[in-house]
Amino acid sequence: MGTWDVGPFDNDTAADFGGDLDEVAAGEREGIVRSALTRVIDTAAYLEAPESEVAVAATALVAAQCPGGEPADRIYGPEEPLPDLTGLRDLALQALDRIMTEPSELMDLWAESDGGPWRANIRRLQNVLLPQSSGEQLSLI
């Protein structure tokens, strides 16, 4: 497994996921993102790092379409247009919660190194995905 930075697409597994999305028909892309999220959510036993890396990348794609979200990685993320993924916000949040709950190999791997920046990226994604109340939206105006 190659990891070169802390971003959602900064590892071989997530970069491959971005390429895989480009290779399928446009109508299949939402289902692939949904599957990546639900696979992690449905894992009660030890959660392997590759599944988590794909789910983090999928979450970043959902967050990119939400207010305050950052664009997906221009180099390693998908190049082809994605459908509206904002309906997957709740699943994306659940997936991140599962990744950050033991037993989780990816969380353990980052705990062994300087995982602070990685955890900060996960929190940023969670904050973007959280629904904003009407009062919060009004206070920004």
Side-chain angles (χ1 to χ4, degrees):
M1 169 181 77
T3 299
W4 52 89
D5 208 346
V6 298
F9 284 92
D10 292 344
N11 60 77
D12 289 335
T13 307
D16 289 346
F17 174 69
D20 292 346
L21 283 172
D22 286 337
E23 294 177 8
V24 300
E28 296 176 31
R29 293 182 187 132
E30 188 269 345
I32 290 172
V33 171
R34 178 184 298 275
S35 293
L37 299 171
T38 56
R39 188 172 329 138
V40 165
I41 294 166
D42 292 343
T43 301
Y46 189 71
L47 180 59
E48 302 284 339
E51 288 81 8
S52 296
E53 290 169 333
V54 168
V56 169
T59 297
L61 296 175
V62 175
Q65 296 181 355
C66 296
E70 295 179 12
D73 190 292
R74 291 185 179 114
I75 297 171
Y76 299 107
E79 295 176 10
E80 296 297 320
L82 294 170
D84 180 7
L85 300 173
T86 56
L88 302 178
R89 286 171 86 157
D90 287 340
L91 286 177
L93 279 167
Q94 290 175 47
L96 290 177
D97 285 346
R98 175 59 190 94
I99 291 164
M100 299 304 290
T101 302
E102 290 290 348
S104 170
E105 182 181 27
L106 188 59
M107 187 177 71
D108 292 343
L109 290 171
W110 280 109
E112 293 172 4
S113 63
D114 182 19
W118 178 78
R119 285 188 298 280
N121 277 337
I122 297 296
R123 283 191 302 275
R124 180 187 52 76
L125 287 171
Q126 289 171 319
N127 287 334
V128 168
L129 292 165
L130 286 170
Q132 295 181 351
S133 70
S134 300
E136 288 174 327
Q137 291 174 349
L138 291 175
S139 67
L140 298 176
I141 296 175

